[in-house]
Amino acid sequence: MNQPTTEHGGPAPDKDVVALLMAQHGRIRDLFDEVEATSGDARRDAFGRLVHMLAVHETAEEEVVHPFAKRTAEGGESIVAERLEEERKAKEALASLEEMDPDDEKFQPALLELRMDVEQHARAEERYEFAQLRRLSDPSTLATLAKSVKAAEATAPTHPRPGVETGAKNAALGPFAAIKDRVKDAMRGSGSQGSSSG
């Protein structure tokens, strides 16, 4: 069965969870670039979009991708445990950054530290988790997982929730946190409601 592809010949993100998540990792890198290159309101807007993107991306991975990898990947239990710990630390750092003014002199160094951690985390996911998903899953499974990730992102909180790194915790807290976050975003009229699809 032929899988739909992009203009570059790779699998289409809407039909392949690995392609979807890799595209989102690229979008996250672009948003870090944008936050670093701007100041004032432009930086606040870019940072709001980065927070939104990271929050919904990690929630969807925690609800859909990590549980699947845990069950199917070789060494899945320990691979996922390491990723969840990295995600918890990143959420704590992101929540701390949200409390700062983006023009504060301490913001940029903290952002750069978060960026290094997030990019290291993304490389570990791609190498240890996504590579196995690609190898062990047929195109139909990868497409179903992509659809599930998009559904999870549509109802995910838009701000970090440190300590909520499992599918079960996300399922229990997620809908209420998502409503609260999305109302807060709407009240602020913030740019943090950008597309999570990259």
Side-chain angles (χ1 to χ4, degrees):
M1 179 167 105
N2 286 342
Q3 199 173 12
T5 60
T6 63
E7 63 189 47
H8 305 294
D14 62 331
K15 300 290 184 195
D16 182 287
V17 72
V18 174
L20 173 65
L21 296 172
M22 297 278 283
Q24 290 181 354
H25 285 177
R27 178 74 180 123
I28 289 165
R29 284 190 296 275
D30 291 347
L31 285 168
F32 271 113
D33 288 344
E34 192 177 341
V35 175
E36 290 170 25
T38 54
S39 62
D41 288 343
R43 175 178 278 181
R44 273 184 264 295
D45 177 61
F47 181 65
R49 286 182 280 121
L50 175 64
V51 169
H52 179 276
M53 180 79 200
L54 284 169
V56 299
H57 174 81
E58 295 302 342
T59 298
E61 285 183 337
E62 291 160 6
E63 289 182 8
V64 178
V65 180
H66 296 330
F68 183 80
K70 195 173 179 179
R71 290 190 310 271
T72 60
E74 184 179 327
E77 192 89 29
S78 63
I79 289 170
V80 169
E82 289 172 17
R83 300 301 74 79
L84 291 175
E85 178 60 15
E86 293 162 1
E87 288 168 13
R88 183 190 60 75
K89 288 179 180 174
K91 286 179 186 180
E92 288 174 356
L94 190 60
S96 175
L97 273 166
E98 268 199 299
E99 299 297 317
M100 282 187 201
D101 182 325
D103 287 328
D104 186 306
E105 63 183 25
K106 295 177 184 172
F107 181 86
Q108 191 81 346
L111 180 75
L112 291 174
E113 188 174 330
L114 173 66
R115 180 178 190 155
M116 285 190 302
D117 291 344
V118 166
E119 289 182 353
Q120 183 177 341
H121 166 72
R123 284 191 299 273
E125 281 183 332
E126 291 167 9
R127 180 175 181 187
Y128 300 113
E129 196 170 356
F130 299 176
Q132 288 203 61
L133 289 179
R134 166 85 62 231
R135 194 177 79 245
L136 299 171
S137 305
D138 60 33
S140 171
T141 301
L142 294 171
T144 299
L145 287 169
K147 202 176 288 187
S148 298
V149 163
K150 295 303 288 177
E153 288 177 342
T155 59
T158 59
H159 296 272
R161 300 279 185 244
V164 182
E165 282 80 39
T166 66
K169 284 183 181 178
N170 274 309
L173 178 68
F176 304 106
I179 291 168
K180 180 179 173 189
D181 286 352
R182 289 167 196 265
V183 167
K184 183 166 75 172
D185 291 343
M187 297 294 283
R188 281 186 189 160
S190 73
S192 64
Q193 299 199 31
S195 169
S196 64
S197 61

